[in-house]
Each structure stands twice: as structure tokens, then as C-alpha cells.
Amino acid sequence: MEDEYSVCWQTVTNDLEKLLDNSDPDRAYRVMQELYKMKRIDIDTLRKVYEWENK
């Protein structure tokens, strides 16, 4: 999204706060590492990383 001053903004869902919650530091770290790779936020990919468990 671009405003009248040609500044680009990216909107995200409220899920992002949940995905980055530090109550599980390993999970938050995985999500953050995936987020760093993105030019545009792909919330579905972040959800998959969030749900992934080390089994």
C-alpha cells in the first residue's frame, strides 16, 4: 500500500503478535528468522513455521 507521499506501507494481521510471542523463545526465534528472509510478509508461511514442532 502506498500513501499520498509515495511511502510504502505493509499491513499485517493481528496474528503477527501471536506468532512472535516470547512465551516460547524457540518458536519465536524460528518465526523471526523466517521473517528476516522476506521482502513481503507471507503470513501463511509464518504460521507454518510457528506450528512446526521439533519431533
Side-chain angles (χ1 to χ4, degrees), residues 7-41:
V7 175
C8 292
W9 297 86
Q10 186 163 210
T11 58
V12 294
T13 65
N14 293 335
D15 288 350
L16 191 58
E17 185 176 341
K18 175 189 169 200
L19 298 175
L20 296 173
D21 179 30
N22 265 342
S23 62
D24 182 347
D26 291 333
R27 181 179 269 180
Y29 179 80
R30 285 195 314 266
V31 172
M32 202 62 198
Q33 291 306 304
E34 193 64 33
L35 184 61
Y36 286 146
K37 298 175 191 176
M38 298 178 178
K39 186 171 185 170
R40 292 183 180 209
I41 297 172

